Amino acid sequence: MENQFIPATSVNSGRVVSIKPDIHMFTVQIVNLFFVGDQQGWVLVDAGMPRSADNILKQTEQLFGEGAKPKAIVLTHGHFDHVGALEELVHRWDVPVYAHEMELPYLTGKKDYPKPDASVEGGLVAKMSPMFPTKAIDLGGKVKALPADGLIPPMPGWRSIHTPGHSPGHISLFRAADRVLLAGDAFVTVKQDALYNVLTQKKEFQGPPRYLTTDWEAAKASVGRLAELQPAIAATGHGTETAGQELSDGLAHLVAHFDEVAVPDYGRYVDDHH
Ligand SMILES: [Zn+2]
Ligand SMILES: [Zn+2]
């Protein structure tokens, strides 16, 4: 069950986009992961859907050559669609994994994520969410906590920004030099709970995927924090990349209307006072 293939896809599955010369975004079915760096050294950010290790390895070879491996893997968070291939990749590459300290219990077998909320206001993906795995994986000593000062040891020039709400130890990654933001699921550019939108990848600024988000107050504050960074280009865990005016307008609108746009009208993790 836990390493089961999830039959969800999108028109962008298999797509590779270089959002910067040293940042390649790869879409696995419905989720994005990132190769950051060059032949001299690179890092994998997030690790795709269950059963996607072969795809990721193939893409690695295409970008960096046969036998290439990263310096490390950095996780935005530990949900199944971001760690699906992780155990296989770590076994194969033998590299360290970094995540926020508050996400470590879910990566070391100590704590499972709460069950997805199929009753949440939303479309078909929300309804099928009970099939999504929530059980913690166990990386043991392979996973390290990111330093509290925001530095990311294997990624000079980048900072981790704690953006909880979707999960307790969720982080986004920001590079100030060219204002690139890898937001993870803090916000996304597709309505992730709606199957048709996921399939077609219709662009829409949305809060974190609803069926797995447990703290909407924190999620709202996190999006505000990211908007304050005034990113020039952003890529999210789900949906296509966004830049310039579209990004600043989209984020500003999401911040101003978070309660209407992002927070579901009903669901297990929604407080009565919304
Ligand atoms: Zn997630
Ligand atoms: Zn996700």
Side-chain angles (χ1 to χ4, degrees):
M1 173 68 197
E2 290 303 330
N3 199 23
Q4 185 186 302
F5 180 78
I6 307 287
T9 195
S10 75
V11 291
N12 287 333
S13 185
R15 174 179 183 251
V16 185
V17 187
S18 300
I19 62 171
K20 287 281 173 180
D22 65 340
I23 305 176
H24 313 282
M25 170 168 124
F26 180 42
T27 307
V28 174
Q29 296 173 255
I30 57 164
V31 72
N32 301 317
L33 54 88
F34 302 87
F35 299 87
V36 182
D38 55 27
Q39 303 283 354
Q40 266 56 59
W42 58 278
V43 164
L44 185 72
V45 176
D46 285 349
M49 295 284 278
R51 304 263 182 105
S52 66
D54 287 348
N55 267 340
I56 296 171
L57 288 169
K58 221 175 287 167
Q59 198 52 52
T60 299
E61 290 203 345
Q62 262 165 36
L63 288 167
F64 301 108
E66 215 185 305
K69 67 175 200 175
K71 291 190 283 185
I73 300 170
V74 175
L75 299 175
T76 60
H77 62 306
H79 283 157
F80 78 98
D81 50 334
H82 299 254
V83 302
L86 189 59
E87 285 173 298
E88 276 169 88
L89 293 175
V90 166
H91 180 72
R92 171 90 167 227
W93 287 334
D94 191 27
V95 294
V97 177
Y98 289 89
H100 190 276
E101 194 178 4
M102 292 180 75
E103 208 70 0
L104 293 192
Y106 308 101
L107 300 165
T108 50
K110 295 200 173 65
K111 209 168 167 184
D112 298 336
Y113 287 109
K115 292 278 169 225
D117 183 7
S119 73
V120 75
E121 180 205 1
L124 263 177
V125 177
K127 303 282 176 282
M128 66 192 269
S129 64
M131 74 182 291
F132 299 162
T134 51
K135 198 169 164 36
I137 59 170
D138 188 0
L139 296 170
K142 286 279 177 211
V143 61
K144 302 170 197 270
L146 284 161
D149 60 8
L151 296 179
I152 307 176
M155 298 176 78
W158 289 84
R159 298 192 71 83
S160 72
I161 296 142
H162 188 205
T163 42
H166 181 57
S167 75
H170 188 284
I171 61 152
S172 304
L173 293 83
F174 186 66
R175 182 164 70 186
D178 50 3
R179 316 197 76 72
V180 182
L181 174 67
L182 304 180
D185 287 357
F187 72 94
V188 298
T189 57
V190 66
K191 196 167 166 53
Q192 187 62 21
D193 61 78
L195 189 61
Y196 182 78
N197 298 46
V198 169
L199 184 68
T200 58
Q201 294 286 291
K202 177 175 178 282
K203 190 172 272 183
E204 188 174 317
F205 279 74
Q206 272 291 339
R210 288 178 166 180
Y211 43 84
L212 288 174
T213 300
T214 48
D215 185 342
W216 286 101
E217 288 299 323
K220 183 178 182 175
S222 291
V223 174
R225 204 166 303 143
L226 294 180
E228 278 168 21
L229 296 172
Q230 299 183 294
I233 178 163
T236 55
H238 305 273
T240 48
E241 65 282 3
T242 172
Q245 199 68 38
E246 177 187 78
L247 170 56
S248 44
D249 289 354
L251 259 184
H253 185 268
L254 182 60
V255 169
H257 303 278
F258 194 84
D259 291 340
E260 305 97 278
V261 175
V263 183
D265 285 344
Y266 52 88
R268 200 188 304 151
Y269 303 119
V270 186
D271 301 334
D272 293 335
H273 59 255
H274 278 294

